[in-house]
Amino acid sequence: MTDTPLVLGIETSCDETGVGLVRGHTLLADAVASSVEEHARFGGVVPEVASRAHLEAMVPTVERACADAGVRLDDVDAIAVTCGPGLMGALLVGVAAAKALAVALDRPIYGVNHLSAHVAVDQLEHGPLPEPCIALLVSGGHSSLLMVEDVTGEVTPLGATIDDAAGEAFDKVARLLGLPFPGGPYIDRAAREGKATYVEFPRGLTAAHDMRDHRYDFSFSGLKTAVARWVEVRERDGEPVPVADVAAAFQEAVIDVLTRKAVLACLEQGVDHLLIGGGVAANSRLRVVAQERCDAQGIALRVPRPGLCTDNGAMVAALGAELVARGVAPSSLDLPADSSMPVTHVVAQ
Ligand code: KG4
Ligand code: ZN
């Protein structure tokens, strides 16, 4: 076991400074420092605030990960770091830290794609990934449906959001309803007391012509506007807004489309494994509906535990460990951060 390389993963693409340590498929440490509270009063992540918070949190988070795992930095065999997509200033902090460690320790560095890392993390919980599998990645920054032939090299986009990301819709609707940022967990909680059929909100890109032109794509901005209008009318009429019911009805509309299209992709592409990842995969209702719909179609569903769905360093270490295990060549030391790194590009050169 100790012959298996120890990989340190660094994640700084948004507001979480994550440092994970993984050996093979074994998670040894997952230290996360979040700057979310510093952004809350702005109702969204402020890039410069996030970058500065990463700078301050980096060294203590690396130290905490090593302490948790009971290893020394010198025991690390390879470094993996998210180099895109994400906020440029935030990514740069992680990439610079990873390069410094790679030089100081004289170890290889892997600049990896954040989206592939969201897929690879499931191996830490459920073992080797079935190949191929379909991955539905839903977070504050992305909503994508991917064909994953090989998480270390062959990822093909099937569809993506054409406007807001699913998590962004949760955050914006939460704000409309007077719930704190980030809104996803608050909507999730409020919705448990609400009636999902209270209002029938629109299901984006599910009309017949959209299913022709945008079969596996998503759109959440029309839904967000529909919720805003509904709330406006209610307030104009001087009536109270039933927050739990609106949260439940909105959440149902998002989840209905996400799960319907993900299951459709599996059936049409002949793939019997679906993996859901990203922050929105922490949603309790999404997990239930996805399980029901996959069971009905004989599709095996894999969703990491909520703590591994939101951004973390373990996911980057998990992908790094897989790259090392498969003998993929490391990145060069001058690898760039790429805020719009395409999903087809798993490792930076
Ligand atoms: O993956 P993540 O931590 O960061 C990004 O890469 O964006 O995802 C954060 C997003 C936020 O929009 C947050 O509201 C959403 O994930 N989220 C949730 C839940 N927990 C986090 N959305 C719905 N239900 C949840 N339980
Ligand atoms: Zn993410």
Side-chain angles (χ1 to χ4, degrees):
M1 185 62 194
T2 44
D3 289 346
T4 312
L6 176 66
V7 179
L8 180 135
I10 296 180
E11 157 62 39
T12 62
S13 66
C14 192
D15 59 340
E16 266 93 27
T17 312
V19 179
L21 281 158
V22 166
R23 203 188 278 285
H25 292 166
T26 306
L27 175 62
L28 301 179
D30 181 20
V32 178
S34 175
S35 61
V36 69
E37 281 167 19
E38 294 178 54
H39 308 287
R41 69 192 168 101
F42 301 106
V45 175
V46 184
E48 282 310 311
V49 173
S51 307
R52 196 190 57 224
H54 286 309
L55 266 178
E56 288 167 2
M58 183 56 67
V59 171
T61 311
V62 169
E63 285 171 347
R64 186 151 56 89
C66 288
D68 290 351
V71 303
R72 291 172 305 127
L73 262 182
D74 196 43
D75 298 330
V76 169
D77 296 299
I79 317 280
V81 60
T82 298
C83 62
L87 302 171
M88 193 57 182
L91 288 167
L92 279 171
V93 178
V95 169
K99 287 180 180 178
L101 285 172
V103 171
L105 301 169
D106 191 22
R107 300 290 194 274
I109 183 171
Y110 291 83
V112 304
N113 191 303
H114 181 81
L115 300 186
S116 294
H118 268 304
V119 177
V121 73
D122 191 62
Q123 302 204 123
L124 302 179
E125 207 172 356
H126 300 122
L129 276 182
E131 291 176 342
C133 69
I134 299 270
L136 170 68
L137 292 187
V138 276
S139 77
H142 29 81
S143 303
S144 311
L145 208 41
L146 310 171
M147 168 71 87
V148 183
E149 302 274 2
D150 164 4
V151 72
T152 61
E154 262 193 272
V155 179
T156 312
L158 298 174
T161 181
I162 60 166
D163 41 56
D164 292 349
E168 203 178 346
F170 270 91
D171 296 341
K172 288 178 176 171
V173 166
R175 197 170 182 186
L176 277 170
L177 295 176
L179 297 170
F181 173 84
Y186 294 94
I187 294 215
D188 190 345
R189 221 166 299 143
R192 285 178 209 159
E193 312 297 322
K195 199 160 177 268
T197 51
Y198 188 80
V199 196
E200 180 78 8
F201 285 125
R203 270 58 173 164
L205 297 186
T206 55
H209 65 280
D210 290 324
M211 289 307 284
R212 196 182 55 233
D213 301 338
H214 289 286
R215 197 164 189 77
Y216 300 135
D217 289 330
F218 305 106
S219 166
F220 299 109
S221 101
L223 168 61
K224 172 199 67 194
T225 307
V227 177
R229 290 278 131 74
W230 194 92
V231 169
E232 256 168 47
V233 169
R234 196 78 180 199
E235 285 173 340
R236 195 194 53 210
D237 295 346
E239 291 180 42
V241 175
V243 171
D245 292 325
V246 176
F250 155 77
Q251 176 175 275
E252 205 65 17
V254 175
I255 288 170
D256 183 24
V257 181
L258 289 176
T259 53
R260 218 192 299 171
K261 292 204 175 195
V263 167
L264 183 69
C266 289
L267 296 175
E268 292 181 345
Q269 305 293 321
V271 174
D272 58 4
H273 282 84
L274 173 66
L275 186 147
I276 309 185
V280 179
N283 185 273
S284 58
R285 179 76 185 141
L286 171 61
R287 299 169 84 98
V288 169
V289 174
Q291 191 65 62
E292 284 170 5
R293 292 188 172 176
C294 283
D295 287 350
Q297 299 295 340
I299 297 165
L301 175 68
R302 295 170 56 135
V303 196
R305 64 174 180 266
L308 293 179
C309 288
T310 46
D311 289 350
N312 62 78
M315 66 191 214
V316 182
L319 178 54
E322 196 59 31
L323 291 164
V324 172
R326 296 200 190 189
V328 175
S331 307
S332 85
L333 244 191
D334 60 1
L335 75 103
D338 179 357
S339 59
S340 51
M341 188 173 186
V343 68
T344 47
H345 202 168
V346 176
V347 191
Q349 301 311 309

